[in-house]
């Protein structure tokens, strides 16, 4: 069992590998029992994925914790890329105003930043660790491994690691089907998985030798407390997602399911712009959305231990220019909640300058009502509402695709803008390249190529998803393996509306994850 005491990043990685080995043992036990109900190889696939996930998490912790130590100890040598690390203004203000320790603020800020990136492939690991260590990482790792075992070259390590990640991606995204016909699942035995786990441990041990011992969490906490600037004000710290969810679980009672559904609904909606966690006596969060042509804070959840509530921020939406018609529709929906009329009736009389709070009694069985209300509020009306002022339309076209975008009607421009924002939000490693006939979004390689067709009023998106792995839909998705086209990707997605975009985006994300 994992210990409850703070452990180093590498010790946690070893625990994750032990868990993966436990999955292999469970698979062997099932095989011996000949339990035909379970595909034993799925236990081995889970172990393979677990070991890769453990590597990813370990590298992320190493980067974050070593970066904090460098920040708190200016006398230590720093790689050039360390100086490129940034902190948000609100993080700086928390430290400056005495509302947070420098070390803890940096740990949270950089932890979130590096957790948004993947650290599995050789290039990703090298790029991430370059913030805290100088030199040719894989050459040094090869030297360490060669000193304690058979001679190995840097390219051999990178090639083997890439093969392991490729297999993990097939397991995670295509049920481990063979990339070539016939479409059967690839075989996997316990010996193969054990060999991978052991090899990853050797590589990680060599990386640790290059880096030096993992940071001791106790030392990091002391450094953050003693050398990290002003003392923490007991009531002034900022809440986070974990504290909010724990607060809801402890206090929400009959309203728990509704409040949790509202919180999760936000991130799943294409109009979502972000969460802002509060600093008051109880955990709280406010969610911002694109509402028509405006951007506004729509709701706030307060996990008060005595009376958790959902506040509907009519006043803030009105102040940000949200159309009155939308606010009226939202109000009509919410009036269906039992007992809500009492708090909602004053809203119209105050010209929507109110932020009524819906209590647990009103929300107890109101999950569907509230979600329907939010969906109606956030519904896209591209024909009748002005486009957001920050949509990026090229002032002068330099390619066919830019010319097509400049000639497109406003609804198509709005649709493209939303698509690009969603793609850019997939990760810091997304790169946009404008070609003559299409716009490509790359990671290590193209994962989405977009053509703009103003006359047909549609976007064509080509993604790297196996057409055999999806249910093709006439007029929306098409197998392009034997059809010539610009860009890269075997699956074509035809997007003409917000509904099409919502169907297309999970496939774009899948293409991003395997690229």
């Amino acid at each position: 069992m994992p210990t409850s005491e703070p452990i180093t990043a590498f010790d946690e990685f070893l625990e994750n590998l032990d868990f993966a080995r436990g999955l292999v043992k469970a698979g062997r036990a099932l095989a011996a029992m000949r339990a035909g109900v379970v595909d034993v190889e799925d236990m081995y696939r889970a172990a393979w994925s677990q070991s890769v996930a453990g590597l990813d998490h370990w590298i992320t912790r190493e980067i974050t914790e070593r970066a904090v130590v460098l920040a708190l100890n200016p006398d230590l040598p720093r790689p050039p890329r360390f100086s490129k690390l940034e902190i948000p203004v609100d993080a700086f203000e928390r430290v400056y105003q005495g509302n947070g320790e420098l070390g803890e603020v940096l740990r949270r800020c950089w932890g979130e930043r590096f957790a948004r990136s993947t650290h599995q492939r050789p290039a990703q690991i090298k790029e991430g660790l370059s913030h805290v260590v100088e030199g040719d990482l894989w050459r040094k790792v090869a030297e360490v491994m060669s000193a304690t075992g058979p001679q190995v070259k840097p390219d051999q390590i990178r090639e083997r690691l890439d093969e392991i990640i490729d297999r993990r991606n097939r397991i995670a995204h295509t049920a481990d089907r063979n990339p070539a016909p016939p479409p059967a699942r690839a075989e996997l035995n316990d010996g193969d998985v054990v060999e991978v786990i052991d090899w990853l441990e050797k590589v990680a041990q060599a990386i640790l030798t290059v880096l030096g011992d993992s940071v001791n969490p106790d030392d990091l906490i002391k450094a953050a407390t003693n050398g990290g600037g002003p003392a923490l004000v007991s009531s002034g710290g900022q809440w986070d997602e974990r504290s909010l969810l724990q607060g809801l679980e402890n206090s929400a009672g009959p309203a728990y399911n509704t409040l949790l559904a509202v919180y999760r609904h936000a991130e799943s909606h294409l109009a979502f712009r972000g969460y802002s966690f509060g600093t008051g006596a109880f955990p709280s969060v406010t969610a911002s959305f694109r509402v028509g042509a405006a951007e506004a804070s729509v709701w706030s959840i307060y996990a008060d231990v005595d009376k958790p509530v959902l506040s509907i921020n009519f006043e803030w939406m009105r102040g940000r220019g949200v159309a009155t018609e939308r606010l009226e529709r939202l109000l009509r929906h919410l009036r269906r909640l039992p007992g809500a009329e009492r708090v909602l009736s004053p809203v119209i009389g105050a010209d929507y300058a109110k932020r009524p709070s819906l209590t647990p009694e009103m929300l107890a069985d109101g999950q569907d009502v509230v979600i329907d209300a939010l969906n109606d509020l956030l519904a896209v009306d591209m024909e009748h509402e002005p486009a957001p002022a920050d949509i990026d339309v090229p002032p002068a076209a330099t390619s066919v695709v830019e010319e097509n975008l400049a000639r497109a009607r406003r609804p198509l421009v709005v649709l493209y803008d939303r698509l690009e924002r969603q793609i850019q939000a997939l990760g810091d490693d997304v790169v946009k390249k404008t070609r003559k006939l299409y716009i490509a979004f790359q990671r290590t390689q193209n994962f989405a190529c977009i053509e703009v067709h103003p006359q047909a009023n549609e976007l064509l998106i080509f993604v790297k998803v196996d057409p055999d792995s999806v249910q093709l839909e006439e007029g929306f998705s098409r197998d392009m393996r034997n059809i010539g086209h610009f860009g890269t990707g075997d699956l074509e997605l035809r997007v003409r509306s917000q509904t099409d975009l919502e169907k297309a985006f999970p496939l774009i994300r899948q293409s991003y994850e395997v690229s």
Side-chain angles (χ1 to χ4, degrees), residues 139 141-146 149-157 199:
R139 178 182 60 78
V141 168
E143 290 174 354
V144 172
M145 293 182 70
S146 297
Q151 289 291 311
V152 62
K153 300 296 183 184
D155 62 289
Q156 294 173 315
I157 300 173
W199 187 83

Side-chain angles (χ1 to χ4, degrees), residues 142-204:
E143 290 174 354
V144 172
M145 293 182 70
S146 297
T148 56
Q151 289 291 311
V152 62
K153 300 296 183 184
D155 62 289
Q156 294 173 315
I157 300 173
R158 292 192 294 265
E159 182 180 16
R160 179 67 177 125
L161 184 53
D162 271 327
E163 290 172 350
I164 291 171
I165 304 307
D166 287 342
R167 183 68 183 268
R168 177 265 167 198
N169 288 341
R170 291 199 298 275
I171 292 170
H173 303 301
T174 62
D176 204 21
R177 284 190 291 270
N178 281 314
R185 300 182 81 188
E187 293 183 359
L188 186 63
N189 61 54
D190 57 340
D192 292 337
V193 182
V194 170
E195 189 275 330
V196 164
I197 296 172
D198 291 346
W199 187 83
L200 287 177
E201 182 174 346
K202 290 177 184 177
V203 171

Side-chain angles (χ1 to χ4, degrees), residues 231-280:
L232 177 67
V233 177
S234 61
S235 62
Q238 186 173 35
W239 298 104
D240 57 16
E241 181 176 66
R242 180 176 296 178
S243 58
L244 176 84
L245 297 179
Q246 186 63 52
L248 290 179
E249 187 173 350
N250 293 340
S251 66
Y256 175 73
N257 288 335
T258 300
L259 291 172
L260 184 63
V262 169
Y263 179 74
R264 289 175 172 171
H265 167 268
E267 207 164 2
S268 69
H269 202 287
L270 286 174
F272 177 63
R273 288 296 177 264
Y275 292 127
S276 176
F277 290 91
T279 59

Side-chain angles (χ1 to χ4, degrees), residues 270 380 382 387-388 391 405 409-422 450 457-459 461 494-502:
L270 286 174
V380 177
M382 295 186 291
I391 284 182
L405 190 58
R409 296 174 59 211
R410 180 63 58 84
L412 190 62
V413 176
V414 173
L415 197 62
Y416 173 80
D417 178 70
R418 287 187 176 137
L419 172 60
E420 179 171 329
R421 288 172 185 265
Q422 289 293 112
I450 304 171
N457 199 37
E458 65 185 15
L459 305 173
I461 308 169
R494 193 176 298 265
V495 173
R496 303 184 182 92
S497 66
Q498 179 76 12
T499 301
D500 289 341
L501 182 55
E502 290 173 359

Side-chain angles (χ1 to χ4, degrees), residues 180-335:
R185 300 182 81 188
E187 293 183 359
L188 186 63
N189 61 54
D190 57 340
D192 292 337
V193 182
V194 170
E195 189 275 330
V196 164
I197 296 172
D198 291 346
W199 187 83
L200 287 177
E201 182 174 346
K202 290 177 184 177
V203 171
Q205 184 65 65
I207 293 174
L208 187 66
T209 301
V210 173
L211 296 176
D213 290 341
S214 283
V215 176
N216 186 306
D218 288 329
D219 293 341
L220 187 62
I221 293 170
K222 291 175 185 176
T225 303
N226 300 328
L232 177 67
V233 177
S234 61
S235 62
Q238 186 173 35
W239 298 104
D240 57 16
E241 181 176 66
R242 180 176 296 178
S243 58
L244 176 84
L245 297 179
Q246 186 63 52
L248 290 179
E249 187 173 350
N250 293 340
S251 66
Y256 175 73
N257 288 335
T258 300
L259 291 172
L260 184 63
V262 169
Y263 179 74
R264 289 175 172 171
H265 167 268
E267 207 164 2
S268 69
H269 202 287
L270 286 174
F272 177 63
R273 288 296 177 264
Y275 292 127
S276 176
F277 290 91
T279 59
F282 300 103
S284 63
V285 64
T286 297
S288 297
F289 298 84
R290 173 71 69 184
V291 188
E295 188 168 314
S297 299
V298 171
W299 55 253
S300 302
I301 292 175
Y302 298 92
D304 188 317
V305 66
D306 295 320
K307 194 175 185 180
V309 297
L310 172 66
S311 176
I312 307 299
N313 301 323
F314 286 100
E315 181 179 14
W316 293 349
M317 287 187 276
R318 174 180 172 273
R320 297 291 291 180
V322 173
T324 302
E325 180 185 347
R326 287 181 181 268
L327 299 180
E328 290 174 349
R329 295 202 310 259
L330 175 63
L331 192 63
R332 282 199 301 271
H333 279 288
L334 295 176
R335 278 177 160 162

